[in-house]
Structures are given as structure tokens and as C-alpha cells.
Amino acid sequence: MHWIWSVAALLTANVIFTRMPKKASSLYLSFDDGPHPEHTPALLDLLKQHEAKATFFLIGNQALAHPGIVQRIVDEGHTIGNHSMTHARLKRLPSREQIREIEQADSVLARFNGKVRQLIRPPHGRATITTILHGLRHRQPIVLWSIDSLDYSLGPDQVVARLAQTKVGPGDILLFHDDGSTAGDALRRLLPRWKASGLRLDPM
């Protein structure tokens, strides 16, 4: 299915991104489903240790519940993005409610970074016609990914092995999740390897 989104990106004036432009040696970590009161701070500690930046796609109601963590993400130079207000399955909602999910989360996150419109990653990466048209209208990018770590279904050892066997390079967007411990356990081993290979972890 990945090629479908690549074609969609070309047909929608680059509103949909599955990769970032290849800029020097930049690699782009992204985390979904936070902020989590335990796992997100641990990830932030790890990223700081390795001088790595990332993009956190946050659920609006989770951001409201843990504002201090969101502020820390922003203060430490990471990017925050919109992962909807409640992590609803957007395709099951009427168009008006889909837009409400996006706009409410935008409003919450604007309190932290001052941006009226955020990067969007729809729950489960399922962009709908409504969200695509919304992105086109407001010049609001929908950011998916080029490499899925599968950290939501694999253990840390399996994630490390999977990514060791995957060609990871400049412009790639990697999908992880910060609502569990697997990402941190895997990245503790992966970050030094990527940095040693000359890759730099940048925010979007």
C-alpha cells in the first residue's frame, strides 16, 4: 500500500508526505499516541543523551492530561504534530466530526508552539478524503512514514533486528510509538548505530 501514498503525494501538491526531502544526512524519528506520563519522558531523556531530535504526533486529550510533558517536548527542540483529538477511526466519522477531531487537537497544541495549524498524522495513518481536502485547503501537511518499526506488535530485539535489515537513510521517516517501552528499549541500541553511520536525527 505504500506506493499508493507516494502517488497520492504527487497528486495532492505534496500535502501527503511519506518521506522528507533528502537533506544532508537527516533521518526523521516520529512517535505516535503520546504523550505518556512514563514512556515519553524516558524517551526524551534518551534522545537528549544522544543529541537526537524527533517529531511527536500527540493525541489532543492526552496533551491536555499531560501539559508539562508537551511543554518539555517543545522546550527541548522537538516538533509536535496533530494525531487527532481522541484517536478515533476517522473513516467511521462524518466529515464534520473528522474536521472537529483535527481542529480541536490543533487548538490544544497551539497553546504550546503557537502554531495555528500543525503537521497531521491521522490515527493508524488512515488519511480520508476529508482530511486530504482539509490539508489542501489549509496547506496543512499530512505526514505518514517510509519505515514502520512495528514496535506496537514486536519486542525490542525484533525491532532492532528488523531495522538492522532495513535500508535506513536520509529522508526516511521512521514510525515508533511513545505509549509503551518497546521504542525506547530498541532505540537505546539503534541510535548509536545510526549516529556512527553518519546519520543525524532531526525534527520535521
Side-chain angles (χ1 to χ4, degrees):
M1 294 293 287
H2 177 71
W3 68 270
I4 295 176
W5 290 119
S6 297
V7 172
L10 294 174
L11 297 177
T12 54
N14 278 328
V15 166
I16 298 174
F17 287 84
T18 57
R19 296 177 54 86
M20 297 296 286
K22 288 185 178 182
K23 183 180 68 174
S25 55
S26 295
L27 182 64
Y28 300 89
L29 283 178
S30 66
F31 299 96
D32 285 6
D33 296 352
H36 187 280
E38 176 185 355
H39 302 300
T40 306
L43 272 171
L44 290 170
D45 291 342
L46 179 65
L47 293 172
K48 187 174 184 178
Q49 176 186 345
H50 291 281
E51 300 180 324
K53 304 299 182 185
T55 301
F56 290 79
F57 288 93
L58 305 177
I59 300 170
N61 58 14
Q62 288 294 103
L64 286 174
H66 307 290
I69 299 175
V70 182
Q71 193 60 59
R72 180 183 171 189
I73 292 171
V74 173
D75 289 347
E76 294 187 2
H78 306 286
T79 299
I80 56 174
N82 182 332
H83 201 43
S84 82
M85 192 64 191
T86 67
H87 205 264
R89 291 185 179 273
L90 297 183
K91 68 178 182 178
R92 297 180 181 177
L93 300 179
S95 292
R96 183 181 301 176
E97 292 185 27
Q98 292 183 43
I99 298 302
R100 186 180 298 119
E101 282 277 333
I102 298 301
E103 292 190 337
Q104 285 183 343
D106 270 349
S107 179
V108 169
L109 298 181
R111 304 175 192 180
F112 300 94
N113 65 5
K115 296 182 179 180
V116 176
R117 302 288 178 184
Q118 313 290 333
L119 299 175
I120 298 172
R121 176 171 287 165
H124 312 288
R126 303 285 176 85
T128 65
I129 295 298
T130 296
T131 54
I132 293 170
L133 292 175
H134 180 81
L136 283 167
R137 178 182 178 186
H138 297 287
R139 298 181 181 275
Q140 191 169 7
I142 296 171
V143 181
L144 302 177
W145 55 85
S146 56
I147 298 174
D148 186 348
S149 71
L150 298 182
D151 63 338
Y152 49 87
S153 61
L154 301 178
D157 291 344
Q158 294 169 302
V159 170
V160 170
R162 171 181 170 78
L163 293 179
Q165 296 168 4
T166 302
K167 186 177 180 180
V168 177
D172 275 321
I173 301 172
L174 284 80
L175 171 64
F176 286 88
H177 296 78
D178 60 327
D179 61 342
S181 62
T182 299
D185 291 341
L187 288 169
R188 197 165 287 112
R189 286 173 275 174
L190 290 167
L191 287 173
R193 296 183 190 181
W194 290 332
K195 289 189 71 176
S197 72
L199 291 170
R200 187 175 73 185
L201 285 302
D202 284 336
M204 295 181 214

